[in-house]
Amino acid sequence: YSSVENASAYSIYRSTDNKEFKLIGTSENTTYVDNNISFGNTYYYKVSALRNDYTDGHKSNVLSITVTGVSPTNVSVSPVSQNQLKITFDKVNGAEGYQIYSSTSKNGSYKNIATITTNSYTNSKLSFGKTYYYKVRSYKKVNGKTVYSNFSAIAYKKVNLNAPSVKFTPTS
């Protein structure tokens, strides 16, 4: 929110129904962090400038925010075989699952290739010499609705021919 001339502090009000607003805190500057929120819920906020005598001025317009999940981090892609790549990433606290999207072009169209509940997935039947790009998002069901995070950073890998392994056994 923007500063108000002659304001000594700001009162922050929150609602879950955009009707009944309750004071949740005050701040002496123009930022406030609300740590008491839940994944998938929508919150409505109003801010009021406090005068020097700590009486509220007019409340601001309503700002609404829907809390989405956290995007998976540390997404990496590693070869498993000549036509398989394994996508791994850090688990997201509170997530019920993940969706893996893939493309053969970084800025191309991505397709959902898997919905999983673990933090790794092996993509099979890939073409030698092609580069595959992946992005991941977490999700959770809240009140019957699926709430998705933003997508992770894109990770990619080119499918290369694995070098054969050779073991030498000395003969007597």
Side-chain angles (χ1 to χ4, degrees):
Y1 47 92
S2 301
S3 63
V4 174
E5 191 176 332
N6 297 323
S8 57
Y10 300 90
S11 296
I12 294 80
Y13 296 85
R14 184 181 73 191
S15 170
T16 55
D17 62 5
N18 200 18
K19 293 176 185 160
E20 185 180 332
F21 285 82
K22 294 181 181 174
L23 178 66
I24 60 167
T26 59
S27 176
E28 292 185 356
N29 55 43
T30 58
T31 60
Y32 180 83
V33 177
D34 184 357
N35 290 316
N36 192 19
I37 56 176
S38 297
F39 195 99
N41 290 344
T42 298
Y43 298 95
Y44 303 88
Y45 296 90
K46 288 184 179 184
V47 178
S48 175
L50 288 172
R51 300 181 185 101
N52 288 333
D53 63 359
Y54 285 92
T55 58
D56 270 346
H58 293 290
K59 289 184 177 69
S60 69
N61 292 330
V62 174
L63 168 70
S64 68
I65 297 173
T66 300
V67 180
T68 61
V70 175
S71 301
T73 57
N74 296 318
V75 178
S76 64
V77 183
S78 56
V80 175
S81 69
Q82 292 177 352
N83 67 347
Q84 293 181 323
L85 294 173
K86 185 174 186 176
I87 302 96
T88 58
F89 49 91
D90 291 344
K91 288 185 176 181
V92 173
N93 286 338
E96 292 178 7
Y98 307 93
Q99 289 185 325
I100 312 288
Y101 282 72
S102 178
S103 176
T104 54
S105 169
K106 183 177 181 179
N107 298 318
S109 177
Y110 283 77
K111 179 179 145 190
N112 181 354
I113 60 168
T115 299
I116 59 175
T117 57
T118 62
N119 64 326
S120 68
Y121 174 76
T122 300
N123 194 9
S124 302
K125 299 180 183 175
L126 303 175
S127 298
F128 172 74
K130 277 194 175 180
T131 300
Y132 291 86
Y133 298 84
Y134 299 94
K135 57 186 180 179
V136 183
R137 67 181 179 177
S138 64
Y139 71 86
K140 181 176 182 175
K141 292 187 192 256
V142 178
N143 298 324
K145 291 190 317 186
T146 304
V147 179
Y148 297 98
S149 72
N150 290 328
F151 282 104
S152 67
I154 294 170
Y156 62 94
K157 183 67 78 180
K158 185 174 187 174
V159 177
N160 290 319
L161 185 62
N162 293 342
S165 62
V166 178
K167 182 178 180 184
F168 291 98
T169 307
T171 57
S172 41

